Amino acid sequence: MAVNKPGAGKPRGNLPPLELYVPEPQFRPGDTVDYSGLVIPEAGRQPRPDEACAASETRPLCDDMIRVLDAEGRAVGPWDPALDPETLRRMLRAMALTRAFDDRMYRGQRQGKTSFYMKCTGEEATSVASAFALADDDMVFPSYRQQGILITRGFPLVEMVNQIYSNRADRLKGRQLPIMYSARDYGFFSISGNLATQYPQAVGWAMASAIKGDTRIATSFIGEGSSAEGDFHAAMTFAAVYNAPVVLNVVNNQWAISSFSGFAGGERATFAARAIGYGIAGLRVDGNDALAVYAAMQWAANRARANAGPTLIEHFTYRAEGHSTSDDPSAYRSAQEREEWPLGDPIMRLKQHLVALGEWDDERHAAMDLELAEEVKKATKEAEKNGILGHGLHHPFHTMFEDVFEELPWHLEEQAEQAIHERRIKWPSWKEFSK
Amino acid sequence: MRELNMVKAINDALDVMLAVDPDVLIFGQDVGYFGGVFRATDGLQARHGQKRCFDTPIAESGIIATAIGMGAQGLRPVPEIQFADYILPAFDQLVSEAARLRYRSGGEFWAPITVRSPYGGGIFGGQTHSQSPEAIFAHITGLKTVIPSTPYDAKGLLIAAIECDDPVIYLEPKRLYNGPFDGHHDRQLATWAGHPGARVPEGRYTVPLGKAAIVRPGDDVTVLAYGTMVHVALAAVEETGIDAEVVDLRSIVPLDIETIVASANKTGRCVIVHEASRFGGFGGELSSLIQERCFYGLEVPIERVAGWDTPYPHAFEWDYFPGPGRVASALRRVMEND
């Protein structure tokens, strides 16, 4: 035990003792929520600078909030992407399908068909509208809450469920925690549990594209909580230094499990504002406004494609549900937050817009919801034929030892043999049918 | 046949690979215009251009992460970490990402990257310019770890590492860059001139990963070593006059278990030598493997000669560094235990 502990500092005149500030969210369980202090700029008032502008010109947009849909559901202002009704309906459908999928998988977890699930309820626009603005061969380095991108790109729902169930058709061979998808053929990079690692990887992918003279760009998503990781800083630095064709997204859903955004520094500056210090363009966007998300991603993608540099986009939204199936948000935040959230629900707002255009109505919406629920149910049933977690139908056991390296070294061959031997003792009737 | 020192052999390997494979590229701190703090990348930017060999920010995690992203896009990156002591900020990217990418994606993505990093002591490098972290990487499933001891092996192993589609940690014993150091710091330092391992062919050739080399055949005791310790072990063997078989592992992972087991069964005695500290060091794994496989062939307990379990000191360099005297003592001990 150390005997020479450092003593107290010398008193300095009349200075007060130093105080540690620990952030505290505005509302805890049971509190009445009052969002009147939250500044929500009027839709349509944000200027749209040239896509090739100097990064510093975007500084005002980092404290503002790009919004297109007004309170009546009209698309207003220079960021209106003027999408045709058919595209708007497809976007609405992808968002609704994402929500229907989440709802069913959440129930599947509660029914014991899998171990774990994470919904993206309330954040569907951030992924779906982003995917609409990208080319299908642009590479996405997602976090675990961008399932909307896979769904938008047409990745089969059955494949998603197979992964969630870790069954014999799971293309990740039962190795990965549910929702840690990988879909190279859909431009969707393998999801890692380690937060923010994908951010500088996306920058590297974009640098490679530039080195090879390719035309594809990269994009990555993290939550506002993960922006506190060192890899955020590495990504921003490398993106700026090499002018990498990358779009870096921070989905600010206000909560990192139980920690509010203040623990990522959100009380002092917006997450978009971090861009300016790196010399990167920054945009802050209403993340529940699908048209604003689309417009921001389109702006940033065009900028990257024109070799005009990287962009950081903060999507201001709200995590409407628990962090995961292992989380109960009523233990740390007021249930009223979701109800009172001033930016509303992304699906309802796009629906309202289409209705205002005379291109949609309640009946069609209700019919779509029924149809999507049926589509998800069908995919689930189809996937269940391949097995659910813990019910025996999975990849051949030997595959557990494969893909550690390109080829199996001797020690893994030996261990595979030993593990198979142990299984035979445990279950004498078990047959390893592959090898 | 020309003779090259180890730095020039490494430089030659990189030059060859830049020329034969358009997807190979090199980056890291000071590796571009300046040519690296040890001259390993000297002239490469001038010959192959800024897009093939360039400087990076001082951010190890960023260097490895961007390499992983580039690998996923189809390139074959060879990033450098200036000293192995400074590889730790990239540990998350190496362990959680590069090593696991092929496995976790069911083979959809992989990280064909080779991380070059100077390592090891004997240069008065103190705590943060001398460490030997190979055991940390040996424990990580999905990483390969390679350590050369001669210019010939350095070039051949580096080319094999770059061509390998698995992530490889390629540790360069910087003590050997300019000459085959045997631990006799008080004597005239040797250069690579005249050493058979310094004869380096032109062009592309490989030394396979996972293959050890018997650098001195013998019957009495097996000495397992790698990097600088190969030369220290050879000196110790010479001084004791014991007929030891010195095995240069060359690869830590994958490990050439057949060569090790055959030698240990032949001699019945084993001394394991490494610079890295002893507790939890790679010597423990080697010792355990030999014990499991050669138990009935062993005449005496296996000896380990390693760095002490302290951080690498500056003033006590030659008390820490496992020199030929300590290796010779171990050799005599295993022989006396007859």
Side-chain angles (χ1 to χ4, degrees):
Chain A
M1 195 172 139
V3 284
N4 294 319
K5 285 184 187 168
K10 286 182 212 155
R12 283 182 175 78
N14 294 327
L15 284 174
L18 296 169
E19 276 183 51
L20 180 72
Y21 172 75
V22 180
E24 179 63 21
Q26 270 186 291
F27 317 113
R28 285 297 194 185
D31 288 350
T32 304
V33 170
D34 175 11
Y35 278 125
S36 56
L38 189 66
V39 180
I40 306 292
E42 196 184 328
R45 303 292 290 216
Q46 298 76 38
R48 188 183 186 283
D50 189 272
E51 285 155 358
C53 72
S56 57
E57 268 187 57
T58 62
R59 182 187 289 254
L61 287 165
C62 293
D63 289 322
D64 203 330
M65 194 185 291
I66 295 165
R67 305 184 71 227
V68 172
L69 293 171
D70 69 10
E72 282 73 46
R74 289 172 306 207
V76 293
W79 287 91
D80 174 14
L83 297 174
D84 62 88
E86 185 48 37
T87 304
L88 292 171
R89 278 190 294 263
R90 284 197 296 120
M91 196 184 278
L92 181 71
R93 187 182 176 88
M95 285 163 62
L97 179 55
T98 302
R99 186 167 295 180
F101 185 80
D102 276 0
D103 286 341
R104 181 122 199 141
M105 288 301 102
Y106 182 88
R107 273 186 286 142
Q109 191 275 340
R110 290 297 190 249
Q111 291 162 355
K113 291 174 182 173
T114 188
S115 61
F116 183 74
Y117 193 72
M118 298 176 105
K119 298 170 102 174
C120 68
T121 310
E123 301 171 40
E124 291 90 347
T126 62
S127 57
V128 170
S130 290
F132 266 82
L134 292 164
D136 278 351
D137 59 355
D138 291 333
M139 183 59 102
V140 180
F141 287 75
S143 81
Y144 45 72
R145 232 185 279 279
Q146 274 74 51
Q147 54 266 53
I149 293 175
L150 268 185
I151 286 171
T152 303
R153 287 184 166 180
F155 188 64
L157 297 183
V158 181
E159 291 249 34
M160 294 174 77
V161 185
N162 286 336
Q163 196 280 328
I164 290 163
Y165 288 172
S166 273
N167 63 24
R168 67 181 171 189
D170 169 15
R171 60 200 225 146
L172 307 186
K173 302 173 189 177
R175 293 173 186 155
Q176 268 281 41
L177 187 71
I179 69 143
M180 303 285 185
Y181 311 106
S182 178
R184 186 178 184 127
D185 39 349
Y186 290 79
F188 196 86
F189 190 73
S190 158
I191 298 174
S192 169
N194 294 57
L195 297 177
T197 50
Q198 74 275 19
Y199 233 44
Q201 289 167 6
V203 175
W205 199 97
M207 287 169 66
S209 229
I211 288 164
K212 291 161 82 173
D214 208 330
T215 57
R216 293 171 296 168
I217 63 168
T219 186
S220 188
F221 291 78
I222 56 171
E224 90 287 348
S226 305
S227 75
E229 292 279 6
D231 275 343
F232 174 84
H233 170 65
M236 296 294 282
T237 303
F238 278 67
V241 166
Y242 301 104
N243 202 45
V246 65
V247 183
L248 297 169
N249 297 272
V250 173
V251 180
N252 175 8
N253 67 12
Q254 318 299 325
W255 290 94
I257 308 186
S258 76
S259 305
F260 86 115
S261 60
F263 283 98
E267 288 181 327
R268 309 290 169 141
T270 69
F271 293 95
R274 281 133 173 85
I276 297 304
Y278 292 94
I280 289 177
L283 305 175
R284 188 161 176 264
V285 57
D286 174 352
N288 289 16
D289 177 342
L291 296 187
V293 169
Y294 178 97
M297 179 59 90
Q298 186 189 42
W299 186 93
N302 286 342
R303 178 177 176 85
R305 263 186 249 286
N307 280 315
T311 304
L312 178 75
I313 303 176
E314 174 187 350
H315 304 258
F316 194 76
T317 182
Y318 186 78
R319 194 193 78 209
E321 298 269 0
H323 165 71
S324 72
T325 48
S326 308
D327 179 45
D328 173 13
S330 73
Y332 50 79
R333 71 184 190 187
S334 171
Q336 265 193 347
E337 278 193 12
R338 175 183 182 169
E339 296 154 29
E340 303 284 330
W341 182 245
L343 295 171
D345 177 273
I347 295 178
M348 289 306 119
R349 285 177 65 193
L350 187 57
K351 177 195 170 194
Q352 183 196 22
H353 173 57
L354 270 161
V355 170
L357 289 174
E359 294 286 347
W360 197 243
D361 53 52
D362 287 340
E363 290 70 33
R364 287 162 84 178
H365 196 89
M368 177 185 76
D369 277 344
L370 279 175
E371 190 197 326
L372 293 177
E374 198 51 42
E375 186 182 336
V376 173
K377 187 177 169 190
K378 207 174 136 217
T380 311
K381 295 290 166 206
E382 191 63 30
E384 282 176 19
K385 290 181 194 163
N386 299 314
I388 58 174
L389 183 68
H391 285 245
L393 289 178
H394 41 62
H395 275 268
F397 184 59
H398 191 271
T399 59
M400 183 170 94
F401 295 92
E402 294 165 9
D403 295 329
V404 177
F405 297 101
E406 190 176 21
E407 288 165 10
L408 253 69
W410 61 269
H411 62 281
L412 279 173
E413 285 283 16
E414 281 187 7
Q415 287 170 31
E417 273 172 38
Q418 187 189 340
I420 287 168
H421 175 69
E422 286 175 8
R423 271 209 151 206
R424 288 205 178 105
I425 292 168
K426 212 166 159 189
W427 295 295
S429 62
W430 177 73
K431 285 189 178 60
E432 169 74 0
F433 46 88
S434 166
K435 290 204 177 182
Chain B
M1 181 83 71
R2 64 208 172 124
E3 282 187 342
L4 298 181
N5 69 22
M6 190 182 278
V7 186
K8 290 210 161 70
I10 288 164
N11 182 280
D12 192 35
L14 296 172
D15 191 35
V16 166
M17 290 312 291
L18 283 166
V20 302
D21 185 346
D23 290 332
V24 168
L25 77 166
I26 291 158
F27 51 93
Q29 292 161 31
D30 305 303
V31 308
Y33 182 86
F34 179 56
V37 294
F38 291 107
R39 318 310 307 148
T41 55
D42 189 28
L44 297 181
Q45 185 180 75
R47 276 202 292 290
H48 301 279
Q50 277 191 324
K51 286 180 189 170
R52 307 289 306 284
C53 178
F54 55 84
D55 292 316
T56 63
I58 305 172
E60 291 81 6
S61 178
I63 291 169
I64 301 304
T66 49
I68 293 167
M70 289 176 195
Q73 217 273 8
L75 295 180
R76 194 169 284 280
V78 189
E80 177 185 302
I81 300 295
Q82 201 161 77
F83 287 84
D85 312 73
Y86 303 131
I87 209 164
L88 295 177
F91 205 51
D92 190 28
Q93 287 289 344
L94 287 169
V95 176
S96 314
E97 303 295 319
R100 304 286 149 80
L101 186 52
R102 184 193 295 278
Y103 192 76
R104 78 168 194 234
S105 70
E108 284 193 346
F109 297 96
W110 57 94
I113 68 174
T114 301
V115 183
R116 288 183 42 247
S117 194
Y119 94 108
I123 55 152
F124 280 98
Q127 285 192 30
T128 56
H129 297 81
S130 306
Q131 293 173 75
S132 299
E134 70 277 4
I136 301 176
F137 295 113
H139 187 59
I140 304 308
T141 55
L143 290 181
K144 292 181 171 172
T145 300
V146 175
I147 303 174
S149 70
T150 65
Y152 178 89
D153 282 357
K155 180 175 173 184
L157 283 169
L158 181 51
I159 291 174
I162 293 169
E163 291 181 344
C164 175
D165 279 342
D166 294 315
V168 181
I169 310 293
Y170 181 89
L171 296 174
E172 303 169 2
K174 56 188 170 294
R175 178 70 256 193
L176 300 183
Y177 272 158
N178 297 311
F181 182 68
D182 65 5
H184 285 294
H185 54 94
D186 44 350
R187 297 183 191 163
Q188 175 74 38
L189 291 179
T191 70
W192 282 107
H195 193 284
R199 283 187 231 140
V200 179
E202 311 246 4
R204 182 196 163 279
Y205 71 92
T206 59
V207 171
L209 309 185
K211 277 284 176 203
I214 295 173
V215 294
R216 185 198 183 282
D219 288 324
D220 289 347
V221 50
T222 296
V223 180
L224 301 180
Y226 44 87
T228 307
M229 287 301 122
V230 171
H231 303 279
V232 173
L234 285 170
V237 168
E238 195 67 31
E239 287 154 28
T240 56
I242 295 168
D243 186 23
E245 179 149 292
V246 179
V247 181
D248 177 0
L249 298 183
R250 300 199 288 199
S251 288
I252 300 300
V253 181
L255 186 67
D256 185 353
I257 192 70
E258 283 178 21
T259 299
I260 293 168
V261 166
S263 180
N265 274 332
K266 180 175 74 173
T267 63
R269 292 177 168 80
C270 232
V271 174
I272 297 161
V273 192
H274 59 60
E275 289 181 66
S277 51
R278 181 183 161 101
F279 194 95
F282 191 65
E285 183 65 34
L286 287 171
S287 173
S288 194
L289 284 167
I290 295 162
Q291 185 271 137
E292 286 161 5
R293 281 150 202 269
C294 310
F295 185 76
Y296 297 103
L298 288 175
E299 307 280 339
V300 295
I302 298 163
E303 281 265 356
R304 283 184 285 163
V305 182
W308 307 117
D309 291 327
T310 67
Y312 206 112
H314 187 246
F316 301 117
E317 175 86 83
W318 304 117
D319 300 284
Y320 181 94
F321 185 89
R326 281 176 60 201
V327 178
S329 299
L331 286 169
R332 291 192 190 99
R333 274 198 303 276
V334 295
M335 293 313 296
E336 283 161 12
N337 260 336
D338 218 339

PDB file of all heavy atoms in Angstrom, chain B residues 36-52:
ATOM      1  N   GLY B  36      10.528   5.966 -44.000  1.00  0.00           N
ATOM      2  CA  GLY B  36      10.491   5.182 -42.758  1.00  0.00           C
ATOM      3  C   GLY B  36      11.629   5.529 -41.822  1.00  0.00           C
ATOM      4  O   GLY B  36      12.743   5.812 -42.259  1.00  0.00           O
ATOM      5  N   VAL B  37      11.337   5.471 -40.524  1.00  0.00           N
ATOM      6  CA  VAL B  37      12.368   5.852 -39.537  1.00  0.00           C
ATOM      7  C   VAL B  37      13.511   4.839 -39.505  1.00  0.00           C
ATOM      8  O   VAL B  37      14.578   5.124 -38.989  1.00  0.00           O
ATOM      9  CB  VAL B  37      11.780   6.033 -38.120  1.00  0.00           C
ATOM     10  CG1 VAL B  37      10.821   7.209 -38.081  1.00  0.00           C
ATOM     11  CG2 VAL B  37      11.086   4.768 -37.633  1.00  0.00           C
ATOM     12  N   PHE B  38      13.283   3.631 -40.056  1.00  0.00           N
ATOM     13  CA  PHE B  38      14.370   2.646 -40.161  1.00  0.00           C
ATOM     14  C   PHE B  38      14.779   2.418 -41.621  1.00  0.00           C
ATOM     15  O   PHE B  38      15.493   1.467 -41.908  1.00  0.00           O
ATOM     16  CB  PHE B  38      13.946   1.311 -39.531  1.00  0.00           C
ATOM     17  CG  PHE B  38      13.795   1.372 -38.036  1.00  0.00           C
ATOM     18  CD1 PHE B  38      12.550   1.361 -37.436  1.00  0.00           C
ATOM     19  CD2 PHE B  38      14.923   1.446 -37.215  1.00  0.00           C
ATOM     20  CE1 PHE B  38      12.420   1.425 -36.055  1.00  0.00           C
ATOM     21  CE2 PHE B  38      14.801   1.505 -35.832  1.00  0.00           C
ATOM     22  CZ  PHE B  38      13.547   1.496 -35.251  1.00  0.00           C
ATOM     23  N   ARG B  39      14.269   3.235 -42.539  1.00  0.00           N
ATOM     24  CA  ARG B  39      14.590   3.182 -43.976  1.00  0.00           C
ATOM     25  C   ARG B  39      13.965   1.980 -44.690  1.00  0.00           C
ATOM     26  O   ARG B  39      14.330   1.689 -45.831  1.00  0.00           O
ATOM     27  CB  ARG B  39      16.114   3.173 -44.232  1.00  0.00           C
ATOM     28  CG  ARG B  39      16.946   4.095 -43.399  1.00  0.00           C
ATOM     29  CD  ARG B  39      16.449   5.531 -43.369  1.00  0.00           C
ATOM     30  NE  ARG B  39      16.255   6.122 -44.686  1.00  0.00           N
ATOM     31  CZ  ARG B  39      15.327   7.038 -44.951  1.00  0.00           C
ATOM     32  NH1 ARG B  39      14.479   7.449 -44.023  1.00  0.00           N
ATOM     33  NH2 ARG B  39      15.229   7.533 -46.159  1.00  0.00           N
ATOM     34  N   ALA B  40      13.022   1.298 -44.041  1.00  0.00           N
ATOM     35  CA  ALA B  40      12.461   0.081 -44.647  1.00  0.00           C
ATOM     36  C   ALA B  40      11.648   0.387 -45.902  1.00  0.00           C
ATOM     37  O   ALA B  40      11.501  -0.466 -46.775  1.00  0.00           O
ATOM     38  CB  ALA B  40      11.600  -0.671 -43.632  1.00  0.00           C
ATOM     39  N   THR B  41      11.102   1.596 -46.007  1.00  0.00           N
ATOM     40  CA  THR B  41      10.292   1.938 -47.184  1.00  0.00           C
ATOM     41  C   THR B  41      11.003   2.986 -48.055  1.00  0.00           C
ATOM     42  O   THR B  41      10.372   3.639 -48.881  1.00  0.00           O
ATOM     43  CB  THR B  41       8.893   2.442 -46.765  1.00  0.00           C
ATOM     44  OG1 THR B  41       9.057   3.540 -45.843  1.00  0.00           O
ATOM     45  CG2 THR B  41       8.106   1.343 -46.076  1.00  0.00           C
ATOM     46  N   ASP B  42      12.302   3.101 -47.854  1.00  0.00           N
ATOM     47  CA  ASP B  42      13.102   4.097 -48.582  1.00  0.00           C
ATOM     48  C   ASP B  42      12.946   3.935 -50.098  1.00  0.00           C
ATOM     49  O   ASP B  42      13.107   2.836 -50.634  1.00  0.00           O
ATOM     50  CB  ASP B  42      14.574   3.910 -48.182  1.00  0.00           C
ATOM     51  CG  ASP B  42      15.454   5.027 -48.716  1.00  0.00           C
ATOM     52  OD1 ASP B  42      14.924   6.150 -48.904  1.00  0.00           O
ATOM     53  OD2 ASP B  42      16.645   4.773 -48.942  1.00  0.00           O
ATOM     54  N   GLY B  43      12.612   5.014 -50.757  1.00  0.00           N
ATOM     55  CA  GLY B  43      12.551   5.013 -52.220  1.00  0.00           C
ATOM     56  C   GLY B  43      11.271   4.451 -52.812  1.00  0.00           C
ATOM     57  O   GLY B  43      11.053   4.552 -54.024  1.00  0.00           O
ATOM     58  N   LEU B  44      10.418   3.858 -52.001  1.00  0.00           N
ATOM     59  CA  LEU B  44       9.230   3.186 -52.558  1.00  0.00           C
ATOM     60  C   LEU B  44       8.217   4.192 -53.101  1.00  0.00           C
ATOM     61  O   LEU B  44       7.604   3.959 -54.142  1.00  0.00           O
ATOM     62  CB  LEU B  44       8.586   2.279 -51.501  1.00  0.00           C
ATOM     63  CG  LEU B  44       9.470   1.122 -51.003  1.00  0.00           C
ATOM     64  CD1 LEU B  44       8.725   0.285 -49.971  1.00  0.00           C
ATOM     65  CD2 LEU B  44       9.933   0.241 -52.170  1.00  0.00           C
ATOM     66  N   GLN B  45       8.045   5.307 -52.379  1.00  0.00           N
ATOM     67  CA  GLN B  45       7.092   6.299 -52.874  1.00  0.00           C
ATOM     68  C   GLN B  45       7.576   6.894 -54.199  1.00  0.00           C
ATOM     69  O   GLN B  45       6.796   7.073 -55.125  1.00  0.00           O
ATOM     70  CB  GLN B  45       6.873   7.398 -51.834  1.00  0.00           C
ATOM     71  CG  GLN B  45       5.800   8.376 -52.253  1.00  0.00           C
ATOM     72  CD  GLN B  45       5.559   9.479 -51.239  1.00  0.00           C
ATOM     73  OE1 GLN B  45       6.349  10.398 -51.103  1.00  0.00           O
ATOM     74  NE2 GLN B  45       4.470   9.368 -50.505  1.00  0.00           N
ATOM     75  N   ALA B  46       8.869   7.165 -54.254  1.00  0.00           N
ATOM     76  CA  ALA B  46       9.415   7.751 -55.484  1.00  0.00           C
ATOM     77  C   ALA B  46       9.234   6.788 -56.663  1.00  0.00           C
ATOM     78  O   ALA B  46       8.917   7.202 -57.778  1.00  0.00           O
ATOM     79  CB  ALA B  46      10.893   8.087 -55.291  1.00  0.00           C
ATOM     80  N   ARG B  47       9.406   5.504 -56.399  1.00  0.00           N
ATOM     81  CA  ARG B  47       9.307   4.528 -57.496  1.00  0.00           C
ATOM     82  C   ARG B  47       7.872   4.168 -57.854  1.00  0.00           C
ATOM     83  O   ARG B  47       7.570   3.902 -59.004  1.00  0.00           O
ATOM     84  CB  ARG B  47      10.072   3.246 -57.136  1.00  0.00           C
ATOM     85  CG  ARG B  47      11.557   3.328 -57.446  1.00  0.00           C
ATOM     86  CD  ARG B  47      12.174   1.954 -57.590  1.00  0.00           C
ATOM     87  NE  ARG B  47      12.214   1.215 -56.349  1.00  0.00           N
ATOM     88  CZ  ARG B  47      13.003   1.522 -55.327  1.00  0.00           C
ATOM     89  NH1 ARG B  47      13.798   2.571 -55.394  1.00  0.00           N
ATOM     90  NH2 ARG B  47      13.004   0.790 -54.242  1.00  0.00           N
ATOM     91  N   HIS B  48       6.988   4.103 -56.858  1.00  0.00           N
ATOM     92  CA  HIS B  48       5.650   3.558 -57.115  1.00  0.00           C
ATOM     93  C   HIS B  48       4.517   4.574 -56.972  1.00  0.00           C
ATOM     94  O   HIS B  48       3.371   4.246 -57.236  1.00  0.00           O
ATOM     95  CB  HIS B  48       5.385   2.361 -56.192  1.00  0.00           C
ATOM     96  CG  HIS B  48       6.379   1.253 -56.374  1.00  0.00           C
ATOM     97  ND1 HIS B  48       6.289   0.331 -57.393  1.00  0.00           N
ATOM     98  CD2 HIS B  48       7.504   0.941 -55.694  1.00  0.00           C
ATOM     99  CE1 HIS B  48       7.314  -0.522 -57.318  1.00  0.00           C
ATOM    100  NE2 HIS B  48       8.064  -0.161 -56.296  1.00  0.00           N
ATOM    101  N   GLY B  49       4.840   5.769 -56.523  1.00  0.00           N
ATOM    102  CA  GLY B  49       3.823   6.814 -56.472  1.00  0.00           C
ATOM    103  C   GLY B  49       3.144   6.946 -55.115  1.00  0.00           C
ATOM    104  O   GLY B  49       3.170   6.041 -54.290  1.00  0.00           O
ATOM    105  N   GLN B  50       2.520   8.110 -54.958  1.00  0.00           N
ATOM    106  CA  GLN B  50       1.915   8.449 -53.659  1.00  0.00           C
ATOM    107  C   GLN B  50       0.685   7.609 -53.326  1.00  0.00           C
ATOM    108  O   GLN B  50       0.320   7.504 -52.160  1.00  0.00           O
ATOM    109  CB  GLN B  50       1.499   9.907 -53.670  1.00  0.00           C
ATOM    110  CG  GLN B  50       2.624  10.864 -53.351  1.00  0.00           C
ATOM    111  CD  GLN B  50       2.086  12.255 -53.126  1.00  0.00           C
ATOM    112  OE1 GLN B  50       1.140  12.669 -53.777  1.00  0.00           O
ATOM    113  NE2 GLN B  50       2.685  12.974 -52.194  1.00  0.00           N
ATOM    114  N   LYS B  51       0.031   7.069 -54.345  1.00  0.00           N
ATOM    115  CA  LYS B  51      -1.165   6.269 -54.050  1.00  0.00           C
ATOM    116  C   LYS B  51      -0.805   4.859 -53.612  1.00  0.00           C
ATOM    117  O   LYS B  51      -1.661   4.106 -53.158  1.00  0.00           O
ATOM    118  CB  LYS B  51      -2.075   6.203 -55.283  1.00  0.00           C
ATOM    119  CG  LYS B  51      -2.811   7.484 -55.550  1.00  0.00           C
ATOM    120  CD  LYS B  51      -3.679   7.356 -56.777  1.00  0.00           C
ATOM    121  CE  LYS B  51      -4.249   8.715 -57.167  1.00  0.00           C
ATOM    122  NZ  LYS B  51      -4.904   8.660 -58.476  1.00  0.00           N
ATOM    123  N   ARG B  52       0.461   4.467 -53.775  1.00  0.00           N
ATOM    124  CA  ARG B  52       0.887   3.117 -53.405  1.00  0.00           C
ATOM    125  C   ARG B  52       1.674   3.107 -52.103  1.00  0.00           C
ATOM    126  O   ARG B  52       1.834   2.053 -51.474  1.00  0.00           O
ATOM    127  CB  ARG B  52       1.756   2.502 -54.511  1.00  0.00           C
ATOM    128  CG  ARG B  52       1.153   2.515 -55.914  1.00  0.00           C
ATOM    129  CD  ARG B  52      -0.006   1.568 -56.104  1.00  0.00           C
ATOM    130  NE  ARG B  52       0.284   0.193 -55.731  1.00  0.00           N
ATOM    131  CZ  ARG B  52       1.003  -0.671 -56.455  1.00  0.00           C
ATOM    132  NH1 ARG B  52       1.522  -0.271 -57.604  1.00  0.00           N
ATOM    133  NH2 ARG B  52       1.199  -1.903 -56.045  1.00  0.00           N
TER     134      ARG B  52
END
